[in-house]
Amino acid sequence: MQNGGRLMVVAIDGPAGAGKSTVARLLAKRLGLRYLDTGAMYRCVALRLREVGGSAADRERAEEIARAVRIEFRAGEPQRVLCDGRDVTEAIRMPEIGDLASAVSAIPGVRRALVERQREIVGAGGIVLEGRDAGTVIAPGAELKVFLTASDEERARRRCRELELRGISADFEEVLRRLRERDLQDQTRVDSPLRMAEDAVLVETDGLGIEEVVDRLARLAEDRARV
Ligand code: DC
């Protein structure tokens, strides 16, 4: 999808569990664009850090990993994530890796290293990217910016369903507590906190099905492409 010769960039941000990944993936497919899950990159750094016995307090080690780790995305349903040549698609989705990813994403050197790579990937356009700083930092010139959100309870319900589908038992109250903790951490960090870009479209997804959300974003993208 083109906008005056430039391939379109769609940036989707929002808190954990808002449905960004699913929506971004389906929207990219619908529009024939590439898809970038920036959160998966923070999760890869967290996974490697944990494997070497580190914690979020080991800032230098985390920064080193962020600079050196090889992260690749391969086509598939779901898209496969390779970390130093190893398929970590499932491993990076464990709740404790999500928590550690949130903690390492507050380290400026980690962000610098990953944002540089993300900007390279976004480069020529023709992509839907999602994360926490997609529209504010990685692609501030995106043709369409969306801030996707839902109530805490709705997001926790979705997370529980997702975990159960993967055979991981989930306690609603525990998932809700972790989600709120992660929101707070992502919103209050000094470097690139989660916030809505001024020119983003706010989409609240309580009570909306995935297809409805994707339809709405596809219409918005088509309108922007015509401008
Ligand atoms: O979207 P996710 O749950 O996979 O992201 C994991 C963590 O990574 C999230 O808590 C915050 C961080 N993150 C970030 O800081 N910036 C991004 N663009 C994407 C994710």
Side-chain angles (χ1 to χ4, degrees):
M1 185 175 279
Q2 298 211 338
N3 177 22
R6 186 183 121 100
L7 287 171
M8 178 165 227
V9 175
V10 179
I12 303 179
D13 289 307
K20 296 184 301 290
S21 300
T22 313
V23 166
R25 196 165 35 79
L26 293 174
L27 182 68
K29 210 170 181 180
R30 173 93 64 97
L31 301 177
L33 302 177
R34 295 179 293 143
Y35 160 59
L36 175 63
D37 172 1
T38 64
M41 300 173 74
Y42 289 93
R43 287 172 181 267
C44 282
V45 173
L47 182 72
R48 292 296 297 128
L49 182 64
R50 207 170 79 143
E51 284 172 351
V52 298
S55 73
D58 300 316
R59 300 166 70 95
E60 280 176 22
R61 208 140 46 136
E63 289 175 1
E64 236 170 73
I65 291 173
R67 282 192 300 268
V69 70
R70 201 152 43 81
I71 302 170
E72 296 162 89
F73 294 98
R74 293 259 166 89
E77 289 292 339
Q79 180 184 66
R80 311 305 298 176
V81 184
L82 274 68
C83 183
D84 289 328
R86 184 163 52 101
D87 190 325
V88 296
T89 314
E90 278 81 33
I92 58 169
R93 296 295 152 197
M94 298 303 286
E96 52 279 22
I97 297 300
D99 292 345
L100 187 57
S102 175
V104 300
S105 74
I107 304 170
V110 170
R111 300 205 71 81
R112 258 197 311 280
L114 296 189
V115 166
E116 193 182 312
R117 296 181 190 205
Q118 289 155 0
R119 286 186 174 148
E120 264 170 37
I121 298 171
V122 172
I127 195 164
V128 178
L129 71 155
E130 52 106 351
R132 303 293 188 290
D133 59 348
T136 51
V137 177
I138 308 169
E143 278 75 14
L144 175 62
K145 296 179 192 175
V146 176
F147 196 84
L148 206 64
T149 190
S151 65
D152 297 359
E153 289 75 12
E154 174 69 23
R155 292 187 289 123
R157 266 194 297 278
R158 290 179 190 165
R159 262 289 137 91
C160 284
R161 231 176 291 138
E162 234 176 76
L163 289 169
E164 278 158 10
L165 279 175
R166 281 192 272 126
I168 303 166
S169 73
D171 172 64
F172 178 80
E173 290 303 325
E174 170 65 10
V175 169
L176 183 63
R177 188 189 60 75
R178 273 186 133 142
L179 196 122
R180 286 181 170 149
E181 227 172 66
R182 190 124 82 84
D183 283 353
L184 187 72
Q185 193 159 256
D186 294 346
Q187 286 160 358
T188 56
R189 66 176 178 229
V190 177
D191 189 350
S192 319
L194 167 68
R195 64 175 179 83
M196 184 170 140
E198 273 170 28
D199 50 351
V201 180
L202 176 67
V203 177
E204 308 228 25
T205 65
D206 279 273
L208 290 181
I210 295 283
E211 284 301 325
E212 282 173 277
V213 179
V214 175
D215 284 347
R216 193 159 156 205
L217 300 196
R219 273 197 304 275
L220 283 169
E222 278 152 10
D223 286 348
R224 300 286 163 102
R226 269 194 286 275
V227 175

